Amino acid sequence: MLTPPRAVVRRESGIYALERVLQRRGFPYVAGADEAGRGACAGPLVAAAAVLPEGRRGEIDGLTDSKLLTPANRERIYAEVVRRALAYAVVVIPAEEVDALGLHVCNLAAMRRALAALSTRPDYVLTDGFGVDGLGVPGLAVWKGDQVAACVAAASVLAKVTRDRIMVELDARFPGYGFAEHKGYVTADHNEALRRQGPCAEHRFSYVNVATASGRAGSPPRARRPEGLGRPGGGAGSTGGADGVDEAGAAGSGAGGAVGSGAAPAARDGGEPMERSGLAGSTVGVAFGEHPRLPAPVGEDVAMEGGVR
């Protein structure tokens, strides 16, 4: 039996090279997954997945890691990803869910669920930085994947733009923290606002700076959030963007599987609803880029909180 020649992907070949090699090897649908908000101490964690079409139709001018793009270019590329992608999905996990389950567990679960929600089931999965198991298809964790693989960069832009829009909305609901400027990340101005005002319901109390400002630093991380502290107005779900459905990132809007739209609660890996402190309309929001089909089975999240990216 002949062994196929080893595939070599050279960085200088560009951001589409890895996907093209996989497609030539019999994996036509390559999905990328990435997250935004992992390092923030306020606001939701957002994960996204995307499958770009083969050939020129899947090539987007200027596509790269969302952190390297200006806000205007991110918005432009976001619109192009939504328009061109064969499928995309966005999952929004609120701050209290991160506090309750742990950041790393939520991160893996969110990416796994975004991938499972894709209406075009991927043949191969690329993720940024660390692997996501239990997908039922082969996958590869790519170092700086959002700068190396186009589908991961596309997912990065979807997640970043969606989260930034949510944080701008939260800035109006929780004034004084500067959410519209720093998007919930730890800055000197943000810490000063925390010291002056104390944390709000959108802060992650499992983070040391928030716990210190709240006077609950002596409690275990998952017990720091005050009981009954919820978010006014329910969940921050987002909606999907093809075939006339609203684009992803419109926090709190209506159709496409959004929280509060009459959709069934989004399920955790084992099928258990991911609910936030029993609040009405508080499940994780899923945004679909095409009409959704039933998600593919996914494995249990066995990663422990605190895993290394």
Side-chain angles (χ1 to χ4, degrees):
M1 180 176 177
L2 295 176
T3 302
R6 182 185 177 194
V8 177
V9 182
R10 302 186 184 280
R11 182 180 289 270
E12 59 268 22
S13 299
I15 198 170
Y16 298 95
L18 182 53
E19 283 164 81
R20 299 296 180 257
V21 167
L22 288 168
Q23 288 159 351
R24 288 197 297 270
R25 290 305 179 96
F27 302 101
Y29 301 124
V30 182
D34 200 5
E35 49 73 27
R38 183 180 174 92
C41 67
L45 177 72
V46 178
V51 179
L52 296 176
E54 298 182 61
R56 290 289 183 90
R57 182 166 172 261
E59 295 182 5
I60 299 171
D61 183 43
L63 179 61
T64 187
D65 175 8
S66 63
K67 296 184 292 296
L68 302 179
L69 297 168
T70 64
N73 274 330
R74 274 199 300 269
E75 289 285 349
R76 175 185 62 81
I77 291 173
Y78 171 91
E80 284 294 301
V81 171
V82 166
R83 185 171 70 87
R84 298 187 187 211
L86 294 176
Y88 69 90
V90 179
V91 171
V92 178
I93 297 190
E96 54 265 43
E97 198 82 39
V98 174
D99 284 343
L101 300 178
L103 175 66
H104 193 62
V105 169
C106 285
N107 198 5
L108 290 176
M111 288 203 291
R112 187 179 289 115
R113 294 190 58 244
L115 288 160
L118 291 170
S119 57
T120 299
R121 185 175 182 179
D123 301 304
Y124 202 100
V125 170
L126 301 174
T127 53
D128 182 30
F130 53 85
V132 179
D133 59 3
L135 298 175
V137 296
L140 178 68
V142 182
W143 176 248
K144 294 191 179 297
D146 42 15
Q147 300 176 36
V148 174
C151 57
V152 179
S156 170
V157 170
L158 290 174
K160 173 67 173 166
V161 170
T162 299
R163 188 177 186 280
D164 282 359
R165 292 176 180 179
I166 291 171
M167 295 309 297
V168 169
E169 181 187 284
L170 292 178
D171 184 68
R173 291 166 56 192
F174 299 94
Y177 294 102
F179 288 155
E181 287 74 40
H182 53 64
K183 306 302 189 292
Y185 287 89
V186 181
T187 65
D189 288 344
H190 193 179
N191 278 334
E192 173 58 25
L194 275 171
R195 186 196 63 77
R196 185 177 62 250
Q197 298 181 207
C200 71
E202 288 297 333
H203 280 96
R204 301 177 187 175
F205 285 76
S206 52
Y207 283 52
V208 172
N209 64 324
V210 178
T212 300
S214 69
R216 302 175 72 89
S219 303
R222 296 189 188 186
R224 290 174 182 167
R225 176 173 286 271
E227 295 234 355
L229 183 63
R231 308 162 75 215
S238 55
T239 58
D243 301 321
V245 184
D246 292 342
E247 290 184 359
S253 57
V259 172
S261 65
R268 199 182 302 163
D269 297 343
E272 179 184 354
M274 271 182 111
E275 297 182 349
R276 302 176 301 156
S277 309
L279 299 173
S282 62
T283 52
V284 176
V286 181
F288 297 101
E290 293 185 9
H291 296 301
R293 68 178 185 181
L294 291 175
V298 294
E300 285 291 321
D301 184 0
V302 297
M304 298 299 291
E305 181 184 2
V308 178
R309 181 170 182 175

